[in-house]
Amino acid sequence: MVKAVVGDETQLNLAEDRLCQSGLNSQVGLVIGKLSSTLDRGFVYDLVPTPPNDAGEPACSLIDATTIANTTFKDEKRKGSKPVSQAADSSTLAIDKDWVAEHARQVSRMLLGGVKVVGVYVWISDTSFKNSTITLCQLLQTVKEVAEAAPVLDTDYDKRLLIHISHSPRRWTCRNCVLSSNITSSSIRPCDFKMGRVLSSLQKFRCTYNFKLSLPVFHENASNASTLSEILHHGISVHAKELRSANALIDGNLVVNGEPCTTGDLHEIELLVPFMKSTEAEACSQKDVVGVLMFNGSVCSFAYLNSKEPVSQAVADIKEDIIGSLQSRLDIICDEADEDLGPLDVDDRETSREKLPEKPVSKLVLCLLRKTCNLAFPRRIFIPWLAGTFICDYLHPSETLEVLKDHCIELMSMEAPIDALTILQPEVEAPSVTAKSFWDVAVPGHSASSFSVQKIDTSAVVSSSRENIKSINFNILAAVFILLLSIFVGFLLLKRS
């Protein structure tokens, strides 16, 4: 649990001015920042309001508390407990918790290494906040659902922030939320909150990570993972363990200590991933493997570090960002699978005779697949955000930069127009997946651990066999001809002598 929280003075003052000018008596949104376990501090970079839902309704609203209070404490009254005291303004806060959690899930995909959704903020009067138990319970439940939708992998899962901005009187307060299955008023604890220079002191790190994974496709009875999405989820999680143990170079120097990094504007990180054999593959027999999933590409990653944090934290943030980026792209494809068919390219000479099942590519059962299919992941695009930092979004080949602008305005509440010239597109080739089956392919002498298997062209094999037979027949005829010629020449020489 963090003991103190520091908010960026510039951004939080802008957020306060925006709230005052909005004329709203209530608002709920996300706290964007970082919880540092090494410094035992929290950092708040910005507040992002949750937009209206699909029906155009706000994420929270003040309603009459009398009816709700009477309903909530009906049993207590029947038992003879004391009557419920009414709040001075007789109002309580109703929050669309599911919508706020969905907002957090989508925003978390756009944040880079070291930047997370670390809690919830609420704009409401001091009286409504303190005098309503229902409001407090609603907020705690909202914080919990946001934590589940946008988990912070490198921090304790059950710790988040709740920031209350009071408009009468004007005041900021911050509380630690200890999330558990049974949420009560004792789940929140006050912590010190102040404003200062946060964003301008961040150290910036960049990494370009190239990877090439060969994931086995097992027989349906040999593995629980059968669809493309399940195999990729499992493959990413296995590779994540290897990636977290990798060594790193920062600006060409091996990271061997926890000293802070205080020089330079942008630091380059290179990850040194050792070659590791798949123990799972070695344990499987050849008959269990019916195909191979080739997953390769390049991921560009950024991370931001407080000047007092050790450089090892930047390496950890970069690793988590790479893993999260791969997982986010897969989640985007799976989310869209319920609406549209995935971008599937089929390479097979018998396509006209045997069609693929009409289902999204992410849900294809690969152990039954008799074709080679290709799936392109969306590219990662970087958009300027605050004080020289970036956020990201993902772009399909058919989409334009206008989609990114709409996402930034809706999800991140970015009002200024985005200049296309400032957008970074370093991923020239996005990650892609190629699924190959072993049907009608003989691979003698290969073990299940040999995954780099190319599909054999049977027509080429037949053509090669015919050429070999022709070559053998020609050699036999030539030998017979030479033998007959030798006999004939020998007969002529004997006749002359």
Side-chain angles (χ1 to χ4, degrees), residues 33-83:
K34 184 175 187 179
L35 302 179
S36 174
S37 57
T38 56
L39 299 180
D40 204 19
R41 280 190 174 188
F43 301 95
V44 177
Y45 302 149
D46 198 14
L47 306 181
V48 178
T50 298
N53 59 21
D54 295 335
E57 300 173 348
C60 72
S61 59
L62 283 173
I63 58 176
D64 183 16
T66 305
T67 303
I68 298 177
N70 290 336
T71 303
T72 303
F73 298 101
K74 187 176 181 180
D75 294 337
E76 282 77 359
K77 287 182 178 181
R78 287 178 178 176
K79 295 177 182 179
S81 59
K82 295 181 180 180

Side-chain angles (χ1 to χ4, degrees), residues 125-145:
S125 68
D126 198 49
T127 305
S128 298
F129 182 83
K130 289 183 177 180
N131 295 352
S132 175
T133 305
I134 299 175
T135 295
L136 185 59
C137 291
Q138 288 255 340
L139 287 168
L140 287 175
Q141 188 63 38
T142 303
V143 172
K144 181 178 180 181
E145 294 196 16

Side-chain angles (χ1 to χ4, degrees), residues 371-396:
K371 307 176 187 301
T372 297
C373 70
N374 300 313
L375 174 65
F377 272 36
R379 290 187 299 123
R380 196 180 202 185
I381 311 297
F382 297 93
I383 306 104
W385 187 41
L386 305 173
T389 63
F390 289 91
I391 57 175
C392 75
D393 205 350
Y394 297 94
L395 198 66
H396 288 293

